[in-house]
């Protein structure tokens, strides 16, 4: 899964340079009526990513943050966090005690932005389209336990699940479950390019240069009916090639807000030397960084190699020296602030220890130094982090690691094809439940396309979903974390914090990003409003 990937998308088709739509000239901080938000999340269409804004393909934070503004879902994350609440729906809930039958009723009078009514048939079409296309990059796995979808009249939908799933309301709040129109979306193939048509709080127009989006202008959708209160009429999302360029634009007054992703160096600079008329806001964060392994690759097939890396890497040093304390050491895939977390890796390996790593390799008869290539996306992640990991491993004389970088679009696809023995990735949850930090990595159709299989884990994951009280599933998630620490199919490194820098006249900044890094542009306003 994602994410959300999500992390970020794998990419498929080649689009010629095209102007999708003109965003207009009303943008720019302090000029016109658009609030201008900067981001470094790239939206690129190429042979590996033909449909970056189709919900049947998109599974990265940047794409989902466009879709959340423009497409509507039955449920959505409420303003203050917590359990999902109805958006396109007027009501939703399980109709049984087994969390296996889920009924929703649409709000009356729902319309797509072109005036076409939104019906239960559109909901059914949208989700069956996602599952039917089942793109390897997409988020179909989130909803793969839907057995049948029953519609009654124009407004009632009942989802019959093949297995109990207490997390299903969360899944219906993600763009994977976004409602699209049969008039605009083919039921059997992806919609290429950068146009999005839906019933969400905004309509959108994207401006492109070559095969990449440079900005997206969101205009308030007068036809929107839902739970969101839109506090502005227009927001421009401007995409920068680097966090340095984005921060400079903020300091020059060219944009109003700098959001994903400010570098740790820039954040520390703003904390130590505040810039006049710019405020830095720290927000709760649930993103994590980890190393992923192709457990069938000869270099790391023996789990002793992966365990030795777990025993060597100094997460504290990564957090303080590379990320200036804008990140915290993480000893589990589940962050410390999420229900069910336990420090499984620390419990097993303790403090970084070359001696312990040496013993692990010696007992497994592994010849040292172990030669490895460590891959990362240079346009996504800090080279300092992977250089630090390399230096920590090599200084033990147990490893000989070479760091290699690639562009994100090439990197992500190569990782899914199993070309890398070990590579670095980030993860932003689709929804803030411990399941979304475990299942995407261990289920059969995992988003890493990892060959790793734990029969026990694949029995425990469905078991954990039977429990509507998520605290009651803590023991199950505890065991799942122990399995990961033992087999090391992935190696958690750190948990991040979120920061937003904004001009002082911008309001709603503290609600711009929720814990899952979802952009909530509708929260923004100006002090003059």
């Amino acid at each position: 899964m994602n994410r959300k990937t999500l992390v970020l998308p794998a990419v498929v088709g080649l689009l010629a340079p095209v102007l999708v739509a003109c965003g207009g000239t009303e943008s720019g901080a302090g000029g016109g009526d658009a609030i201008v938000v900067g981001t470094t999340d790239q939206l690129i269409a190429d042979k590996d990513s033909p449909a970056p804004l189709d919900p049947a393909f998109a599974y990265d934070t940047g794409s989902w943050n466009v879709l959340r503004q423009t497409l509507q879902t039955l449920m959505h994350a409420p303003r203050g966090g917590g359990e999902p609440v109805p958006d396109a729906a007027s009501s939703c809930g399980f109709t049984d005690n087994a969390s296996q039958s889920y009924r929703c009723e649409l709000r009356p009078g729902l319309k797509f932005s072109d005036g076409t009514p939104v019906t239960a048939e559109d909901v059914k079409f949208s989700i069956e389209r996602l599952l039917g296309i089942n793109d390897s990059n997409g988020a179909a796995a989130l909803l793969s336990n839907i057995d049948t979808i029953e519609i009654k009249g124009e407004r009632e939908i009942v989802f019959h699940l093949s297995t109990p799933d207490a997390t299903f309301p969360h899944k219906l709040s993600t763009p994977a479950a976004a409602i699209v129109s049969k008039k605009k979306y083919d039921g059997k193939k992806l919609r290429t390019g950068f146009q999005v048509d839906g019933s969400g709080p905004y309509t959108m127009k994207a401006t492109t240069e070559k095969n990449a989006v440079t900005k997206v202008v969101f205009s308030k959708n007068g036809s929107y009916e839902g739970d969101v209160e839109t506090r502005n009429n227009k927001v421009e999302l401007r995409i920068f090639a680097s966090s340095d360029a984005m921060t400079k634009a903020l300091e020059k007054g060219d944009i109003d807000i700098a959001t994903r992703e400010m570098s740790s160096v820039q954040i520390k600079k703003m904390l130590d030397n505040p810039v006049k008329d710019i405020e830095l806001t720290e927000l709760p964060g649930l993103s994590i960084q980890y190393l992923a392994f192709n457990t069938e690759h000869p270099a790391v097939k023996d789990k002793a190699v992966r365990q030795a890396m777990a025993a060597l890497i100094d997460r504290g040093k990564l957090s303080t020296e590379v990320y200036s304390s804008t990140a915290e050491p993480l000893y589990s895939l589940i962050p410390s602030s999420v229900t069910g977390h336990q420090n499984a890796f620390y419990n097993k390996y303790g403090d970084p220890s070359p001696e312990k790593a040496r013993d692990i390799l010696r007992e497994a008869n592994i010849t040292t130094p172990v030669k490895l290539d460590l891959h990362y996306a240079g346009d996504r992640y800090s080279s300092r982090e992977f250089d630090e990991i390399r230096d920590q491993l090599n200084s033990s004389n147990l490893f000989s690691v070479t760091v290699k970088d690639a562009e994100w679009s090439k990197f992500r696809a190569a990782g899914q094809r199993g070309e890398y023995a070990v590579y670095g990735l980030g993860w932003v949850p689709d929804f803030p439940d411990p399941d979304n930090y475990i299942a995407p990595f261990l289920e059969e159709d995992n988003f890493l396309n990892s060959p790793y299989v734990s029969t026990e884990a694949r029995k425990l994951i469905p078991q954990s979903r039977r429990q509507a009280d998520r605290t009651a599933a803590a023991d199950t998630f505890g065991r799942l974390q122990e399995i990961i620490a033992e087999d090391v199919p992935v190696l958690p490194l750190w948990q991040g914090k979120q920061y937003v820098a904004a001009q002082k006249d911008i309001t709603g900044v503290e609600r711009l990003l929720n814990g899952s890094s979802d952009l909530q542009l509708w929260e923004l306003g100006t002090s003059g409003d």
Side-chain angles (χ1 to χ4, degrees):
M1 297 184 227
N2 177 118
R3 200 201 106 353
K4 222 173 87 286
T5 233
L6 176 224
V7 243
L8 306 160
V11 261
V12 192
L14 186 59
L15 301 183
V18 61
L19 177 66
V20 176
C22 178
T25 58
E26 67 277 50
S27 61
D33 58 355
I35 297 172
V36 185
V37 178
T39 182
T40 59
D41 287 327
Q42 304 297 309
L43 296 173
I44 298 171
D46 61 17
K47 66 182 182 65
D48 285 324
S49 181
L53 293 179
D54 187 326
F57 179 86
Y59 203 8
D60 67 282
T61 304
S63 296
W64 273 25
N65 276 335
V66 172
L67 298 182
R68 288 186 188 279
Q69 320 306 314
T70 50
L71 298 179
Q72 205 170 7
T73 48
L74 291 169
M75 306 289 283
H76 86 128
R79 190 178 192 204
E83 295 299 309
V85 298
D87 184 24
S90 59
S91 63
C92 283
F94 284 105
T95 61
D96 62 346
N97 293 326
S99 301
Q100 205 163 342
S101 180
Y102 197 77
R103 175 189 175 276
C104 290
E105 184 167 344
L106 289 176
R107 293 178 186 265
L110 281 182
K111 295 179 181 179
F112 291 108
S113 58
D114 66 358
T116 306
V118 177
T119 67
E121 186 62 45
D122 290 305
V123 177
K124 185 174 188 287
F125 165 78
S126 301
I127 293 178
E128 288 182 344
R129 175 179 182 269
L130 171 90
L131 297 173
I133 292 175
N134 194 25
D135 192 271
S136 60
N137 175 83
L142 275 176
L143 300 174
S144 62
N145 67 334
I146 294 176
D147 186 21
T148 59
I149 303 174
E150 179 184 3
I151 59 174
K152 300 177 180 180
E154 291 193 347
R155 292 174 50 203
E156 186 176 349
I157 312 105
V158 182
F159 299 94
H160 300 285
L161 309 182
S162 58
T163 57
D165 187 0
T167 71
F168 190 67
H170 285 286
K171 294 173 180 178
L172 287 183
S173 72
T174 70
I179 305 168
V180 299
S181 168
K182 284 189 269 189
K183 289 177 58 180
K184 302 291 178 67
Y185 292 80
D186 189 301
K188 295 184 178 180
K189 64 181 181 181
L190 296 171
R191 185 182 187 184
T192 58
F194 297 108
Q195 189 56 42
V196 182
D197 295 278
S199 58
Y202 296 97
T203 60
M204 61 83 73
K205 292 183 178 181
T207 301
T208 68
E209 184 176 320
K210 295 184 179 179
N211 63 341
V213 175
T214 56
K215 69 177 178 181
V216 182
V217 175
F218 296 100
S219 299
K220 186 175 181 178
N221 178 11
S223 299
Y224 170 73
E225 295 287 343
D227 186 63
V228 165
E229 179 184 348
T230 309
R231 291 170 166 76
N232 56 66
N233 292 317
K234 188 173 292 185
V235 177
E236 178 186 316
L237 186 68
R238 194 175 298 177
I239 297 174
F240 291 88
S242 69
S243 56
D244 283 341
M246 178 176 64
T247 305
K248 288 176 181 176
L250 177 69
E251 293 175 352
K252 288 171 60 179
D254 291 339
I255 63 175
D256 297 299
I257 301 169
T259 176
R260 292 179 44 85
E261 292 272 352
M262 295 177 63
S263 73
S264 59
V265 173
Q266 293 158 342
I267 292 167
K268 188 174 188 304
K269 180 181 176 182
M270 285 191 176
L271 288 171
D272 294 343
N273 301 288
V275 179
K276 183 181 179 182
D277 296 326
I278 294 176
E279 293 183 340
L280 187 67
T281 302
E282 180 182 327
L283 304 173
L286 295 175
S287 64
I288 67 171
Q289 190 91 346
Y290 60 94
L291 298 180
F293 295 94
N294 174 1
T295 55
E296 290 299 314
H297 193 288
V300 296
K301 186 171 184 178
D302 194 315
K303 72 177 181 181
V305 175
R306 308 192 300 268
Q307 290 176 330
M309 293 174 69
L312 277 171
I313 292 175
D314 189 336
R315 296 166 175 82
K317 194 173 181 182
L318 278 176
S319 299
T320 56
E321 296 194 10
V322 177
Y323 290 100
S324 304
S325 299
T326 61
E328 299 174 353
L330 183 63
Y331 298 92
S332 166
L333 282 178
I334 301 175
S336 58
S337 52
V338 173
T339 300
H341 164 85
Q342 68 173 231
N343 289 320
F345 275 80
Y346 189 85
N347 294 343
K348 181 168 181 60
Y349 301 101
D351 292 324
S353 171
E355 294 76 17
K356 182 174 293 185
R358 185 177 295 108
D359 290 344
I360 292 171
L361 294 172
R362 183 184 297 120
E363 289 175 13
N365 295 316
I366 302 295
T367 301
T368 58
V370 177
K371 293 185 177 181
L372 286 177
D373 289 334
L374 173 58
H375 295 263
Y376 77 103
D379 55 348
R380 280 288 175 186
Y381 305 121
S382 168
S383 61
R384 294 177 60 215
E385 174 179 3
F386 296 95
D387 288 346
E388 175 64 28
I389 293 172
R390 174 201 62 202
D391 292 347
Q392 290 184 15
L393 294 173
N394 288 352
S395 66
S396 70
N397 296 319
L398 300 174
F399 287 86
S400 176
V401 175
T402 301
V403 172
K404 296 184 176 181
D405 75 311
E407 292 182 358
W408 170 257
S409 59
K410 311 298 181 187
F411 165 83
R412 180 72 174 105
Q416 285 195 317
R417 289 193 296 265
E419 295 179 12
Y420 303 148
V422 56
Y423 55 105
L425 277 175
W427 178 259
V428 180
D430 303 313
F431 49 88
D433 186 276
D435 177 90
N436 200 235
Y437 289 94
I438 298 292
F441 301 93
L442 301 188
E443 285 188 311
E444 183 177 358
D445 294 324
N446 62 82
F447 95 103
L448 291 174
N449 198 28
S450 170
Y452 170 76
V453 176
S454 166
T455 303
E456 182 184 2
R458 290 186 180 177
K459 290 179 180 178
L460 290 174
I461 290 170
Q463 178 180 317
S464 72
R465 291 172 177 162
R466 294 178 179 272
Q467 295 162 306
D469 178 1
R470 304 310 283 154
T471 59
D475 288 345
T476 302
F477 283 114
R479 177 57 190 148
L480 285 163
Q481 290 167 91
E482 291 172 353
I483 292 170
I484 295 168
E486 169 65 27
D487 292 347
V488 201
V490 290
L491 176 55
L493 298 173
W494 51 262
Q495 174 181 349
K497 302 175 184 178
Q498 294 188 117
Y499 291 86
V500 176
Q503 308 290 346
K504 287 187 176 180
D505 64 337
I506 301 298
T507 61
V509 174
E510 70 280 4
R511 295 182 295 275
L512 176 59
L513 290 170
N514 64 18
S516 298
S517 293
D518 302 333
L519 270 181
Q520 301 174 137
L521 297 179
W522 51 82
E523 295 286 359
L524 297 176
T526 60
S527 56
D529 292 346

